[in-house]
mmCIF file of all heavy atoms in Angstrom:
data_model
loop_
_atom_site.group_PDB
_atom_site.id
_atom_site.type_symbol
_atom_site.label_atom_id
_atom_site.label_comp_id
_atom_site.label_asym_id
_atom_site.label_seq_id
_atom_site.Cartn_x
_atom_site.Cartn_y
_atom_site.Cartn_z
ATOM 1 N N ASP A 1 0.821 -1.202 -0.034
ATOM 2 C CA ASP A 1 -0.001 -0.005 0.041
ATOM 3 C C ASP A 1 0.854 1.271 -0.023
ATOM 4 O O ASP A 1 0.291 2.367 -0.013
ATOM 5 C CB ASP A 1 -0.897 0.028 1.243
ATOM 6 C CG ASP A 1 -2.044 -0.960 1.132
ATOM 7 O OD1 ASP A 1 -2.424 -1.335 -0.007
ATOM 8 O OD2 ASP A 1 -2.505 -1.494 2.185
ATOM 9 N N GLY A 2 2.169 1.078 0.023
ATOM 10 C CA GLY A 2 3.052 2.224 0.071
ATOM 11 C C GLY A 2 3.354 2.655 1.518
ATOM 12 O O GLY A 2 2.697 2.207 2.439
ATOM 13 N N TYR A 3 4.403 3.494 1.629
ATOM 14 C CA TYR A 3 4.775 3.875 2.977
ATOM 15 C C TYR A 3 3.598 4.657 3.629
ATOM 16 O O TYR A 3 3.006 5.545 3.027
ATOM 17 C CB TYR A 3 6.034 4.815 2.875
ATOM 18 C CG TYR A 3 6.605 5.200 4.191
ATOM 19 C CD1 TYR A 3 7.172 4.234 5.051
ATOM 20 C CD2 TYR A 3 6.632 6.551 4.656
ATOM 21 C CE1 TYR A 3 7.688 4.616 6.259
ATOM 22 C CE2 TYR A 3 7.139 6.866 5.855
ATOM 23 C CZ TYR A 3 7.696 5.907 6.677
ATOM 24 O OH TYR A 3 8.258 6.280 7.906
ATOM 25 N N LEU A 4 3.293 4.282 4.868
ATOM 26 C CA LEU A 4 2.182 4.850 5.574
ATOM 27 C C LEU A 4 0.853 4.721 4.824
ATOM 28 O O LEU A 4 -0.059 5.568 4.924
ATOM 29 C CB LEU A 4 2.456 6.314 6.009
ATOM 30 C CG LEU A 4 3.614 6.577 6.903
ATOM 31 C CD1 LEU A 4 3.814 8.086 7.065
ATOM 32 C CD2 LEU A 4 3.471 5.850 8.173
ATOM 33 N N LYS A 5 0.733 3.712 3.986
ATOM 34 C CA LYS A 5 -0.465 3.403 3.248
ATOM 35 C C LYS A 5 -0.850 4.537 2.325
ATOM 36 O O LYS A 5 -2.091 4.770 2.074
ATOM 37 C CB LYS A 5 -1.612 3.054 4.143
ATOM 38 C CG LYS A 5 -1.363 1.735 4.949
ATOM 39 C CD LYS A 5 -2.579 1.341 5.711
ATOM 40 C CE LYS A 5 -2.306 -0.039 6.429
ATOM 41 N NZ LYS A 5 -3.491 -0.527 7.188
ATOM 42 N N MET A 6 0.105 5.281 1.777
ATOM 43 C CA MET A 6 -0.155 6.487 1.002
ATOM 44 C C MET A 6 -0.919 6.142 -0.295
ATOM 45 O O MET A 6 -1.614 6.999 -0.872
ATOM 46 C CB MET A 6 1.082 7.242 0.714
ATOM 47 C CG MET A 6 2.060 6.561 -0.236
ATOM 48 S SD MET A 6 3.415 7.637 -0.739
ATOM 49 C CE MET A 6 4.196 8.023 0.831
ATOM 50 N N ARG A 7 -0.714 4.963 -0.806
ATOM 51 C CA ARG A 7 -1.393 4.558 -1.987
ATOM 52 C C ARG A 7 -2.937 4.594 -1.891
ATOM 53 O O ARG A 7 -3.672 4.896 -2.824
ATOM 54 C CB ARG A 7 -0.919 3.186 -2.459
ATOM 55 C CG ARG A 7 -1.278 2.779 -3.883
ATOM 56 C CD ARG A 7 -0.166 1.916 -4.494
ATOM 57 N NE ARG A 7 1.082 2.646 -4.474
ATOM 58 C CZ ARG A 7 2.149 2.212 -3.821
ATOM 59 N NH1 ARG A 7 2.108 1.150 -3.046
ATOM 60 N NH2 ARG A 7 3.248 2.920 -3.869
ATOM 61 N N LYS A 8 -3.433 4.378 -0.687
ATOM 62 C CA LYS A 8 -4.882 4.407 -0.423
ATOM 63 C C LYS A 8 -5.287 5.733 0.195
ATOM 64 O O LYS A 8 -6.353 6.253 -0.095
ATOM 65 C CB LYS A 8 -5.228 3.309 0.527
ATOM 66 C CG LYS A 8 -5.184 1.875 -0.174
ATOM 67 C CD LYS A 8 -5.644 0.806 0.860
ATOM 68 C CE LYS A 8 -5.667 -0.565 0.244
ATOM 69 N NZ LYS A 8 -6.117 -1.617 1.117
ATOM 70 N N LEU A 9 -4.433 6.323 1.057
ATOM 71 C CA LEU A 9 -4.795 7.493 1.846
ATOM 72 C C LEU A 9 -4.355 8.815 1.261
ATOM 73 O O LEU A 9 -4.933 9.834 1.603
ATOM 74 C CB LEU A 9 -4.332 7.331 3.264
ATOM 75 C CG LEU A 9 -4.707 6.065 4.013
ATOM 76 C CD1 LEU A 9 -4.109 5.973 5.363
ATOM 77 C CD2 LEU A 9 -6.241 5.945 4.096
ATOM 78 N N ALA A 10 -3.355 8.844 0.407
ATOM 79 C CA ALA A 10 -2.838 10.091 -0.048
ATOM 80 C C ALA A 10 -2.284 9.910 -1.484
ATOM 81 O O ALA A 10 -1.071 9.850 -1.727
ATOM 82 C CB ALA A 10 -1.722 10.600 0.874
ATOM 83 N N THR A 11 -3.199 9.725 -2.455
ATOM 84 C CA THR A 11 -2.752 9.457 -3.793
ATOM 85 C C THR A 11 -1.888 10.524 -4.444
ATOM 86 O O THR A 11 -1.037 10.274 -5.253
ATOM 87 C CB THR A 11 -3.983 9.115 -4.670
ATOM 88 O OG1 THR A 11 -4.860 10.249 -4.629
ATOM 89 C CG2 THR A 11 -4.717 7.872 -4.200
ATOM 90 N N LYS A 12 -2.218 11.756 -4.107
ATOM 91 C CA LYS A 12 -1.444 12.877 -4.682
ATOM 92 C C LYS A 12 0.053 12.858 -4.159
ATOM 93 O O LYS A 12 0.953 13.126 -4.895
ATOM 94 C CB LYS A 12 -2.051 14.176 -4.361
ATOM 95 C CG LYS A 12 -3.373 14.456 -5.124
ATOM 96 C CD LYS A 12 -3.961 15.842 -4.869
ATOM 97 C CE LYS A 12 -5.213 16.059 -5.652
ATOM 98 N NZ LYS A 12 -5.806 17.413 -5.416
ATOM 99 N N VAL A 13 0.142 12.510 -2.861
ATOM 100 C CA VAL A 13 1.496 12.436 -2.314
ATOM 101 C C VAL A 13 2.215 11.213 -2.939
ATOM 102 O O VAL A 13 3.400 11.280 -3.255
ATOM 103 C CB VAL A 13 1.415 12.246 -0.769
ATOM 104 C CG1 VAL A 13 2.806 12.005 -0.165
ATOM 105 C CG2 VAL A 13 0.762 13.489 -0.173
ATOM 106 N N ASP A 14 1.511 10.114 -3.115
ATOM 107 C CA ASP A 14 2.081 8.939 -3.724
ATOM 108 C C ASP A 14 2.599 9.252 -5.130
ATOM 109 O O ASP A 14 3.746 8.930 -5.515
ATOM 110 C CB ASP A 14 0.970 7.873 -3.828
ATOM 111 C CG ASP A 14 1.464 6.568 -4.426
ATOM 112 O OD1 ASP A 14 2.685 6.229 -4.269
ATOM 113 O OD2 ASP A 14 0.652 5.803 -4.977
ATOM 114 N N ARG A 15 1.800 10.045 -5.889
ATOM 115 C CA ARG A 15 2.256 10.409 -7.266
ATOM 116 C C ARG A 15 3.498 11.340 -7.212
ATOM 117 O O ARG A 15 4.440 11.142 -7.890
ATOM 118 C CB ARG A 15 1.096 11.152 -7.909
ATOM 119 C CG ARG A 15 1.128 11.101 -9.460
ATOM 120 C CD ARG A 15 2.129 12.025 -10.071
ATOM 121 N NE ARG A 15 1.933 13.385 -9.890
ATOM 122 C CZ ARG A 15 2.868 14.283 -9.956
ATOM 123 N NH1 ARG A 15 4.065 13.955 -10.212
ATOM 124 N NH2 ARG A 15 2.625 15.536 -9.735
ATOM 125 N N LYS A 16 3.455 12.286 -6.269
ATOM 126 C CA LYS A 16 4.545 13.218 -6.137
ATOM 127 C C LYS A 16 5.849 12.535 -5.693
ATOM 128 O O LYS A 16 6.999 12.871 -6.193
ATOM 129 C CB LYS A 16 4.232 14.300 -5.119
ATOM 130 C CG LYS A 16 5.074 15.530 -5.260
ATOM 131 C CD LYS A 16 4.702 16.341 -6.504
ATOM 132 C CE LYS A 16 5.474 17.665 -6.507
ATOM 133 N NZ LYS A 16 5.170 18.392 -7.809
ATOM 134 N N LEU A 17 5.776 11.559 -4.796
ATOM 135 C CA LEU A 17 6.990 10.985 -4.267
ATOM 136 C C LEU A 17 7.550 9.824 -5.181
ATOM 137 O O LEU A 17 8.786 9.545 -5.159
ATOM 138 C CB LEU A 17 6.723 10.366 -2.888
ATOM 139 C CG LEU A 17 6.553 11.372 -1.744
ATOM 140 C CD1 LEU A 17 6.336 10.581 -0.420
ATOM 141 C CD2 LEU A 17 7.813 12.190 -1.578
ATOM 142 N N ASN A 18 6.684 9.230 -5.930
ATOM 143 C CA ASN A 18 7.069 7.944 -6.581
ATOM 144 C C ASN A 18 7.091 7.960 -8.022
ATOM 145 O O ASN A 18 7.684 7.059 -8.636
ATOM 146 C CB ASN A 18 6.090 6.811 -6.113
ATOM 147 C CG ASN A 18 6.360 6.466 -4.636
ATOM 148 O OD1 ASN A 18 7.468 6.388 -4.169
ATOM 149 N ND2 ASN A 18 5.266 6.265 -3.918
ATOM 150 N N LEU A 19 6.484 8.921 -8.748
ATOM 151 C CA LEU A 19 6.453 8.872 -10.183
ATOM 152 C C LEU A 19 7.779 8.795 -10.850
ATOM 153 O O LEU A 19 8.067 7.900 -11.613
ATOM 154 C CB LEU A 19 5.605 10.031 -10.754
ATOM 155 C CG LEU A 19 5.502 10.067 -12.271
ATOM 156 C CD1 LEU A 19 4.831 8.781 -12.790
ATOM 157 C CD2 LEU A 19 4.722 11.275 -12.741
ATOM 158 N N ILE A 20 8.669 9.803 -10.534
ATOM 159 C CA ILE A 20 10.024 9.783 -11.107
ATOM 160 C C ILE A 20 10.801 8.528 -10.615
ATOM 161 O O ILE A 20 11.504 7.881 -11.398
ATOM 162 C CB ILE A 20 10.803 11.067 -10.759
ATOM 163 C CG1 ILE A 20 10.225 12.197 -11.624
ATOM 164 C CG2 ILE A 20 12.248 10.925 -10.961
ATOM 165 C CD1 ILE A 20 11.008 13.519 -11.479
ATOM 166 N N GLU A 21 10.626 8.139 -9.384
ATOM 167 C CA GLU A 21 11.308 6.972 -8.847
ATOM 168 C C GLU A 21 10.971 5.715 -9.690
ATOM 169 O O GLU A 21 11.880 4.975 -10.174
ATOM 170 C CB GLU A 21 10.879 6.668 -7.396
ATOM 171 C CG GLU A 21 11.386 5.423 -6.789
ATOM 172 C CD GLU A 21 12.754 5.508 -6.207
ATOM 173 O OE1 GLU A 21 13.301 6.598 -6.173
ATOM 174 O OE2 GLU A 21 13.295 4.465 -5.790
ATOM 175 N N TYR A 22 9.729 5.515 -9.953
ATOM 176 C CA TYR A 22 9.259 4.362 -10.761
ATOM 177 C C TYR A 22 9.791 4.457 -12.142
ATOM 178 O O TYR A 22 10.245 3.503 -12.763
ATOM 179 C CB TYR A 22 7.763 4.186 -10.736
ATOM 180 C CG TYR A 22 7.159 3.837 -9.371
ATOM 181 C CD1 TYR A 22 5.860 3.965 -9.103
ATOM 182 C CD2 TYR A 22 7.983 3.392 -8.336
ATOM 183 C CE1 TYR A 22 5.283 3.649 -7.883
ATOM 184 C CE2 TYR A 22 7.422 3.111 -7.056
ATOM 185 C CZ TYR A 22 6.089 3.190 -6.856
ATOM 186 O OH TYR A 22 5.558 2.895 -5.635
ATOM 187 N N PHE A 23 9.555 5.653 -12.749
ATOM 188 C CA PHE A 23 9.966 5.826 -14.201
ATOM 189 C C PHE A 23 11.464 5.589 -14.365
ATOM 190 O O PHE A 23 11.903 4.843 -15.250
ATOM 191 C CB PHE A 23 9.658 7.267 -14.620
ATOM 192 C CG PHE A 23 10.239 7.592 -15.971
ATOM 193 C CD1 PHE A 23 9.644 7.124 -17.120
ATOM 194 C CD2 PHE A 23 11.400 8.325 -16.065
ATOM 195 C CE1 PHE A 23 10.271 7.400 -18.384
ATOM 196 C CE2 PHE A 23 11.993 8.593 -17.317
ATOM 197 C CZ PHE A 23 11.413 8.146 -18.462
ATOM 198 N N VAL A 24 12.286 6.165 -13.515
ATOM 199 C CA VAL A 24 13.732 5.984 -13.618
ATOM 200 C C VAL A 24 14.170 4.549 -13.460
ATOM 201 O O VAL A 24 14.992 3.999 -14.206
ATOM 202 C CB VAL A 24 14.493 6.891 -12.612
ATOM 203 C CG1 VAL A 24 15.969 6.529 -12.576
ATOM 204 C CG2 VAL A 24 14.345 8.377 -13.020
ATOM 205 N N HIS A 25 13.531 3.856 -12.505
ATOM 206 C CA HIS A 25 13.933 2.442 -12.241
ATOM 207 C C HIS A 25 13.396 1.516 -13.393
ATOM 208 O O HIS A 25 14.086 0.518 -13.666
ATOM 209 C CB HIS A 25 13.429 1.960 -10.916
ATOM 210 C CG HIS A 25 14.261 2.567 -9.783
ATOM 211 N ND1 HIS A 25 15.614 2.768 -9.863
ATOM 212 C CD2 HIS A 25 13.948 2.939 -8.499
ATOM 213 C CE1 HIS A 25 16.119 3.240 -8.762
ATOM 214 N NE2 HIS A 25 15.096 3.356 -7.914
ATOM 215 N N ILE A 26 12.314 1.836 -13.932
ATOM 216 C CA ILE A 26 11.939 1.025 -15.159
ATOM 217 C C ILE A 26 13.043 1.136 -16.255
ATOM 218 O O ILE A 26 13.453 0.175 -16.821
ATOM 219 C CB ILE A 26 10.593 1.592 -15.748
ATOM 220 C CG1 ILE A 26 9.421 1.251 -14.829
ATOM 221 C CG2 ILE A 26 10.329 0.981 -17.190
ATOM 222 C CD1 ILE A 26 8.130 1.993 -15.227
ATOM 223 N N GLU A 27 13.411 2.368 -16.459
ATOM 224 C CA GLU A 27 14.450 2.598 -17.447
ATOM 225 C C GLU A 27 15.834 2.044 -17.073
ATOM 226 O O GLU A 27 16.636 1.724 -17.932
ATOM 227 C CB GLU A 27 14.522 4.069 -17.825
ATOM 228 C CG GLU A 27 13.241 4.672 -18.349
ATOM 229 C CD GLU A 27 12.670 3.816 -19.540
ATOM 230 O OE1 GLU A 27 13.451 3.412 -20.440
ATOM 231 O OE2 GLU A 27 11.432 3.644 -19.563
ATOM 232 N N ASP A 28 16.139 2.021 -15.778
ATOM 233 C CA ASP A 28 17.315 1.380 -15.292
ATOM 234 C C ASP A 28 17.386 -0.040 -15.775
ATOM 235 O O ASP A 28 18.495 -0.601 -16.048
ATOM 236 C CB ASP A 28 17.361 1.440 -13.757
ATOM 237 C CG ASP A 28 17.804 2.732 -13.187
ATOM 238 O OD1 ASP A 28 18.498 3.508 -13.941
ATOM 239 O OD2 ASP A 28 17.454 3.033 -12.035
ATOM 240 N N VAL A 29 16.311 -0.744 -15.766
ATOM 241 C CA VAL A 29 16.263 -2.145 -16.282
ATOM 242 C C VAL A 29 16.271 -2.210 -17.739
ATOM 243 O O VAL A 29 17.081 -2.931 -18.360
ATOM 244 C CB VAL A 29 15.019 -2.852 -15.665
ATOM 245 C CG1 VAL A 29 14.939 -4.344 -16.185
ATOM 246 C CG2 VAL A 29 15.054 -2.901 -14.153
ATOM 247 N N ARG A 30 15.377 -1.498 -18.381
ATOM 248 C CA ARG A 30 15.250 -1.503 -19.839
ATOM 249 C C ARG A 30 16.529 -1.082 -20.616
ATOM 250 O O ARG A 30 16.936 -1.668 -21.557
ATOM 251 C CB ARG A 30 14.051 -0.687 -20.284
ATOM 252 C CG ARG A 30 12.688 -1.186 -19.814
ATOM 253 C CD ARG A 30 11.570 -0.247 -20.357
ATOM 254 N NE ARG A 30 11.371 -0.511 -21.763
ATOM 255 C CZ ARG A 30 11.815 0.315 -22.641
ATOM 256 N NH1 ARG A 30 12.478 1.449 -22.278
ATOM 257 N NH2 ARG A 30 11.589 0.076 -23.935
ATOM 258 N N ARG A 31 17.117 0.021 -20.113
ATOM 259 C CA ARG A 31 18.232 0.610 -20.897
ATOM 260 C C ARG A 31 19.539 0.002 -20.560
ATOM 261 O O ARG A 31 20.549 0.377 -21.147
ATOM 262 C CB ARG A 31 18.246 2.133 -20.668
ATOM 263 C CG ARG A 31 16.949 2.795 -21.124
ATOM 264 C CD ARG A 31 16.952 4.284 -21.204
ATOM 265 N NE ARG A 31 15.622 4.797 -21.414
ATOM 266 C CZ ARG A 31 15.341 6.024 -21.943
ATOM 267 N NH1 ARG A 31 16.381 6.828 -22.226
ATOM 268 N NH2 ARG A 31 14.104 6.416 -22.137
ATOM 269 N N ALA A 32 19.536 -0.903 -19.613
ATOM 270 C CA ALA A 32 20.806 -1.727 -19.385
ATOM 271 C C ALA A 32 20.950 -2.841 -20.427
ATOM 272 O O ALA A 32 22.001 -3.430 -20.470
ATOM 273 C CB ALA A 32 20.762 -2.285 -17.978
ATOM 274 N N ARG A 33 19.924 -3.023 -21.270
ATOM 275 C CA ARG A 33 20.014 -4.028 -22.277
ATOM 276 C C ARG A 33 20.680 -3.469 -23.538
ATOM 277 O O ARG A 33 20.585 -2.261 -23.783
ATOM 278 C CB ARG A 33 18.575 -4.522 -22.617
ATOM 279 C CG ARG A 33 17.909 -5.173 -21.421
ATOM 280 C CD ARG A 33 16.370 -5.334 -21.663
ATOM 281 N NE ARG A 33 15.698 -5.900 -20.529
ATOM 282 C CZ ARG A 33 14.412 -5.768 -20.305
ATOM 283 N NH1 ARG A 33 13.659 -5.144 -21.227
ATOM 284 N NH2 ARG A 33 13.797 -6.309 -19.238
ATOM 285 N N PRO A 34 21.335 -4.305 -24.343
ATOM 286 C CA PRO A 34 22.077 -3.802 -25.450
ATOM 287 C C PRO A 34 21.198 -2.987 -26.512
ATOM 288 O O PRO A 34 21.633 -1.959 -27.005
ATOM 289 C CB PRO A 34 22.661 -5.074 -26.145
ATOM 290 C CG PRO A 34 22.691 -6.042 -25.005
ATOM 291 C CD PRO A 34 21.450 -5.776 -24.126
ATOM 292 N N GLU A 35 20.021 -3.459 -26.768
ATOM 293 C CA GLU A 35 19.171 -2.839 -27.780
ATOM 294 C C GLU A 35 17.858 -2.415 -27.102
ATOM 295 O O GLU A 35 16.905 -3.196 -27.041
ATOM 296 C CB GLU A 35 18.902 -3.761 -28.960
ATOM 297 C CG GLU A 35 20.181 -4.171 -29.721
ATOM 298 C CD GLU A 35 19.892 -5.045 -30.900
ATOM 299 O OE1 GLU A 35 18.663 -5.298 -31.223
ATOM 300 O OE2 GLU A 35 20.842 -5.451 -31.554
ATOM 301 N N TRP A 36 17.851 -1.190 -26.624
ATOM 302 C CA TRP A 36 16.617 -0.683 -25.932
ATOM 303 C C TRP A 36 15.959 0.376 -26.812
ATOM 304 O O TRP A 36 16.684 1.054 -27.586
ATOM 305 C CB TRP A 36 16.934 -0.180 -24.544
ATOM 306 C CG TRP A 36 17.968 0.957 -24.536
ATOM 307 C CD1 TRP A 36 19.296 0.819 -24.363
ATOM 308 C CD2 TRP A 36 17.706 2.365 -24.642
ATOM 309 N NE1 TRP A 36 19.888 2.046 -24.389
ATOM 310 C CE2 TRP A 36 18.950 3.057 -24.596
ATOM 311 C CE3 TRP A 36 16.549 3.076 -24.803
ATOM 312 C CZ2 TRP A 36 19.028 4.413 -24.697
ATOM 313 C CZ3 TRP A 36 16.615 4.493 -24.917
ATOM 314 C CH2 TRP A 36 17.873 5.115 -24.868
ATOM 315 N N LYS A 37 14.712 0.549 -26.620
ATOM 316 C CA LYS A 37 13.969 1.609 -27.196
ATOM 317 C C LYS A 37 13.244 2.420 -26.211
ATOM 318 O O LYS A 37 12.670 1.794 -25.237
ATOM 319 C CB LYS A 37 12.982 1.099 -28.329
ATOM 320 C CG LYS A 37 13.692 0.412 -29.447
ATOM 321 C CD LYS A 37 12.631 -0.104 -30.454
ATOM 322 C CE LYS A 37 13.311 -0.772 -31.678
ATOM 323 N NZ LYS A 37 12.292 -1.292 -32.643
ATOM 324 N N ALA A 38 13.154 3.724 -26.365
ATOM 325 C CA ALA A 38 12.443 4.526 -25.378
ATOM 326 C C ALA A 38 10.941 4.222 -25.375
ATOM 327 O O ALA A 38 10.402 3.991 -26.482
ATOM 328 C CB ALA A 38 12.686 6.012 -25.654
ATOM 329 N N ARG A 39 10.352 4.155 -24.253
ATOM 330 C CA ARG A 39 8.922 3.958 -24.179
ATOM 331 C C ARG A 39 8.189 5.185 -24.666
ATOM 332 O O ARG A 39 8.727 6.323 -24.531
ATOM 333 C CB ARG A 39 8.431 3.657 -22.721
ATOM 334 C CG ARG A 39 8.870 2.322 -22.253
ATOM 335 C CD ARG A 39 8.208 2.032 -20.914
ATOM 336 N NE ARG A 39 8.717 3.017 -19.894
ATOM 337 C CZ ARG A 39 7.984 3.509 -18.853
ATOM 338 N NH1 ARG A 39 6.748 3.103 -18.725
ATOM 339 N NH2 ARG A 39 8.538 4.308 -17.994
ATOM 340 N N VAL A 40 6.963 5.040 -25.101
ATOM 341 C CA VAL A 40 6.147 6.194 -25.468
ATOM 342 C C VAL A 40 5.124 6.377 -24.278
ATOM 343 O O VAL A 40 4.263 5.552 -24.083
ATOM 344 C CB VAL A 40 5.354 5.953 -26.779
ATOM 345 C CG1 VAL A 40 4.453 7.141 -27.084
ATOM 346 C CG2 VAL A 40 6.336 5.660 -27.904
#
């Protein structure tokens, strides 16, 4: 549910704290591969 259950109780805070975190870590996995393409 996220730290302090923010996913249920504070969705705007969840978005603010985690959007870049999630996006960057997705690309950390994808772009470590030899042939990657940027997501749309």
Side-chain angles (χ1 to χ4, degrees):
D1 289 332
Y3 187 65
L4 297 178
K5 296 187 177 180
M6 68 172 62
R7 196 147 298 118
K8 291 183 176 180
L9 303 178
T11 55
K12 290 183 179 180
V13 176
D14 183 28
R15 207 284 296 157
K16 197 72 175 175
L17 287 180
N18 290 318
L19 179 58
I20 284 186
E21 173 85 7
Y22 294 165
F23 170 79
V24 168
H25 285 325
I26 290 169
E27 300 308 319
D28 281 336
V29 177
R30 296 181 70 258
R31 300 190 189 203
R33 299 164 183 162
E35 297 182 5
W36 59 268
K37 294 182 180 179
R39 287 186 299 148
V40 178

